[in-house]
Amino acid sequence: MKPYDFRWTKFYESNSEFPYSGLNLDLTENELIICSTFIDSENYSVLTTQKLITNKNGAKHFGNLINAKDKGYGDLKGYKDDSLTLGLVELENGTELKYFIETGKASMIMIHGVRTLIRLQKMTDENIETPLRNWNRQNERNRK
């Protein structure tokens, strides 16, 4: 729900909107930043089109979400009166990777971002192209 004035969590339409340039995220040429929960330079999570990066108490961990499993979202509703919680994914190699989630309405940004990226990476080209072809056909019919 607008306005999107969450304390720590933001999503980005382009990398130029990402205000934390000194984090050394090691992005590849076509890698885009999707969303982040940024508490401070020692504690943050950043989701890109290729990986999830978490720096917790100065220790940076990251992983590719191909074949990852969603394992939980902590206290995403904030019932324990905490404004932050940790989500968890299991990477393909069995390693667990935690990520920061701002509780309340903001929680859906990181949760849906991670879930969507995991699902998209499981889809084949045909899974992606078939709905696009169907959508284009429907639009052609509507124009006639």
Side-chain angles (χ1 to χ4, degrees), residues 40-120:
D40 57 41
S41 62
E42 298 290 310
N43 296 284
Y44 59 84
S45 291
V46 178
L47 179 66
T48 75
T49 52
Q50 296 184 14
K51 63 185 168 270
L52 177 61
I53 306 159
T54 294
N55 193 4
K56 185 174 182 207
N57 297 324
K60 188 188 267 187
H61 303 277
F62 61 93
N64 188 309
L65 297 182
I66 292 175
N67 296 320
K69 297 176 187 162
D70 227 345
K71 298 299 273 188
Y73 314 112
D75 180 27
L76 69 104
K77 299 286 185 183
Y79 292 125
K80 297 178 184 172
D81 292 327
D82 292 329
S83 50
L84 290 166
T85 191
L86 291 169
L88 180 66
V89 294
E90 182 181 318
L91 303 177
E92 183 176 33
N93 65 5
T95 304
E96 291 186 336
L97 178 58
K98 294 181 179 180
Y99 62 99
F100 287 104
I101 299 172
E102 183 175 353
T103 60
K105 291 178 183 176
S107 66
M108 292 296 99
I109 293 175
M110 286 301 286
I111 290 169
H112 282 292
V114 168
R115 285 171 48 186
T116 300
L117 189 58
I118 289 171
R119 287 179 185 152
L120 282 175

Side-chain angles (χ1 to χ4, degrees), residues 3 6 10 26 63-64 76 86 144:
F6 305 126
K10 295 187 178 11
D26 296 322
N64 188 309
L76 69 104
L86 291 169
K144 293 179 181 181

